[in-house]
Amino acid sequence: MAISEPARTAPPSRTGRIALRSAYGAGHFAKSLAWSFTDLLLAYYANVRLGLSAGDTGLLIFLSAVQGALADVGAASLMRRAEGDLGRILALQFVAGLAAAAALLVMFRPAHGGEVAFVCLVGALALFRTLFAFYDVAQNALVSLLPRDPEDAHHYAVMRQTLSGVARLAVAGLAFLLVGTDAPAGGREIVVAGVIAALIAASAGWLLRWRGALPMAALVGRRRSMPTGLATLLVAGAALAGPEAMTMRLVPFVEGRGPDEPAGAALLFALVLGSVIGPLGLPRPDRGVMRPALAFTALAVLAGVVFLAAPHAGVLALAACLAHGVGFGGMMALFWREMGAAIRDHALRTGVRTDMISFALLTATIKLAGALSGVGLAFLLDGFKAGTPTTMAALAAIIAVGGLVFLLTIAPGYRFGISSSGLRRATPPPGSRTT
């Protein structure tokens, strides 16, 4: 039986909801900056700044992603007793955020290339991934714990993905200073890491102010009870994070061949700008889901194929990257809304909160998908730089398969009744309290 505890305070007013969303948004933005900085530019930093080979770069990403996935599951297991306790989760998020910020500074400290740099970077990445896992698990749990109803949840999902895009856009803008021949040989990465660390500390402190001001959700009683259809949603998330995100990992390596041709930084900026626009086009839950899912997926796949066919085509390449970002951003916003809906519906039906463990499994799946992408990057990066037709065709096929898998795996959720467009409002078990 689920353990219950009365609410400590009344639910926030409308003004309080907006303030709470703002605090959550600030925390998610800061976390996304740290994630985007390492996700988008780590391969470039290792390959170009430290001089690691394409094989070593791919191996580095693979090892880091696998270790991060294991850390996510381990963090959720260790934090399991706090499941549903917003006060404890916010406190854990604050402490883990400060520790992860410090680890980010260690990772991007000035260093020289060579085998020592590779070993040191692997160790620093392991430290960062471990500490970031606790920060990430706690922050992600809030996306399903904080909303009070489906409409509120829609706002959280759209805001979450929009701010993820804005964070990537900020990193893409910084890429103009960090990528290319104009960047200083010593690099400016440590300066950027310092700014991100300061934002993490400030936003985590703001969220901590809400500790004790929110009602407590149901605590865990049945540890083995998990949301229905979670496995298919995890596969959908893997398709987005692995195959569908391949274009975003490749565009920084595009080198302009003339003054009128956009280089990697410009293409990355256009792609990420599209990912900010995409979530804003997601319809409300009561207007259906599958049509926008098909539209966003088709746009992402077709635009990705066009970019790979002509990565040096000037305005066409920029437009393709922008369109791919719009489709990808819409797919991500839809996915996070459906994931949150599945967890909240499970809590309504059973009285058991699974926010941290479910999102930990998701982030672990996402990082494993990223690890496999790292392996693919090791084999395909040189061919992509050279514009080899077979490599471009293989990358186009990977993106198309990713879109197809996303559609096929997100669809079963509707048969289980977990979609927010048809969310079952089951009566919670007697004596339970859910958000």
Side-chain angles (χ1 to χ4, degrees):
M1 175 179 290
I3 303 171
S4 62
E5 185 171 319
R8 291 173 289 187
T9 60
S13 62
R14 179 176 178 81
T15 302
R17 285 192 188 188
I18 295 175
L20 179 58
R21 284 182 204 157
S22 300
Y24 166 80
H28 180 70
F29 176 72
K31 187 201 76 169
S32 297
L33 277 177
W35 174 259
S36 298
F37 189 53
T38 56
D39 186 45
L40 293 179
L41 296 178
L42 178 62
Y44 182 88
Y45 175 77
N47 182 248
V48 177
R49 187 75 68 210
L50 298 183
L52 303 184
S53 67
D56 284 344
T57 300
L59 178 61
L60 177 71
I61 294 174
F62 175 79
L63 293 175
S64 172
V66 171
Q67 189 265 332
L70 296 175
D72 282 336
V73 177
S77 299
L78 292 174
M79 298 164 65
R80 187 72 162 141
R81 291 184 180 276
E83 192 81 82
D85 189 335
L86 279 168
R88 292 177 66 186
I89 290 174
L90 290 175
L92 288 167
Q93 190 254 9
F94 175 75
V95 175
L98 295 182
L104 185 68
L105 294 175
V106 173
M107 185 167 60
F108 284 103
R109 74 194 189 288
H112 300 287
E115 294 183 3
V116 175
F118 177 71
V119 173
C120 290
L121 188 57
V122 168
L125 265 175
L127 175 65
F128 174 74
R129 294 298 191 198
T130 300
L131 296 172
F132 188 82
F134 288 88
Y135 178 44
D136 195 26
V137 167
Q139 178 73 27
N140 282 333
L142 299 178
V143 79
S144 57
L145 276 168
L146 295 181
R148 306 296 302 181
D149 51 52
E151 184 69 16
D152 199 23
H154 173 81
H155 288 298
Y156 270 92
V158 171
M159 179 177 66
R160 182 198 183 282
Q161 196 54 40
T162 300
L163 288 175
S164 294
V166 172
R168 283 184 173 266
L169 191 64
V171 173
L174 291 171
F176 286 99
L177 303 175
L178 303 174
V179 172
T181 57
D182 294 334
R188 299 188 179 103
E189 288 81 6
I190 187 62
V191 177
V192 177
V195 172
I196 294 173
L199 291 175
I200 289 175
S203 61
W206 186 10
L207 262 175
L208 187 64
R209 294 182 61 185
W210 288 90
R211 186 184 182 191
L214 295 169
M216 181 179 288
L219 300 180
V220 173
R222 290 174 291 186
R223 293 181 178 271
R224 296 184 180 179
S225 178
M226 297 297 290
T228 304
L230 178 63
T232 56
L233 285 170
L234 293 181
V235 176
L240 287 175
E244 211 57 38
M246 184 66 78
T247 303
M248 196 169 291
R249 295 186 177 94
L250 289 169
V251 291
F253 294 96
V254 177
E255 296 181 359
R257 298 176 179 174
D260 297 328
E261 289 189 12
L267 294 171
L268 181 62
F269 189 85
L271 195 155
V272 178
L273 177 62
S275 71
V276 175
I277 299 171
L280 302 178
L282 181 67
R284 298 297 175 91
D286 57 354
R287 296 186 179 181
V289 174
M290 288 311 296
R291 285 185 178 179
L294 287 168
F296 282 129
T297 303
L299 179 62
V301 171
L302 291 176
V305 171
V306 170
F307 164 74
L308 290 170
H312 297 282
V315 175
L316 177 62
L318 282 170
C321 286
L322 179 68
H324 179 78
V326 171
F328 183 77
M331 293 166 72
M332 288 294 292
L334 172 64
F335 169 78
W336 279 95
R337 191 178 72 185
E338 294 303 294
M339 186 73 182
I343 296 170
R344 290 192 309 277
D345 179 59
H346 178 73
L348 284 169
R349 289 186 291 105
T350 66
V352 178
R353 298 303 313 198
T354 60
D355 307 84
M356 285 198 296
I357 188 62
S358 294
F359 281 115
L361 290 173
L362 172 61
T363 54
T365 302
I366 286 174
K367 289 173 183 177
L368 288 174
L372 294 177
S373 294
V375 174
L377 193 67
F379 287 99
L380 300 172
L381 180 56
D382 289 337
F384 173 78
K385 287 181 177 180
T388 306
T390 54
T391 299
M392 296 304 195
L395 289 169
I398 289 172
I399 293 173
V401 169
L404 179 62
V405 170
F406 172 76
L407 289 175
L408 292 177
T409 50
I410 201 171
Y414 299 91
R415 294 199 294 270
F416 291 128
I418 62 175
S419 169
S420 57
S421 60
L423 186 62
R424 291 192 300 252
R425 292 301 175 195
T427 302
S432 67
R433 167 81 180 168
T434 62
T435 52

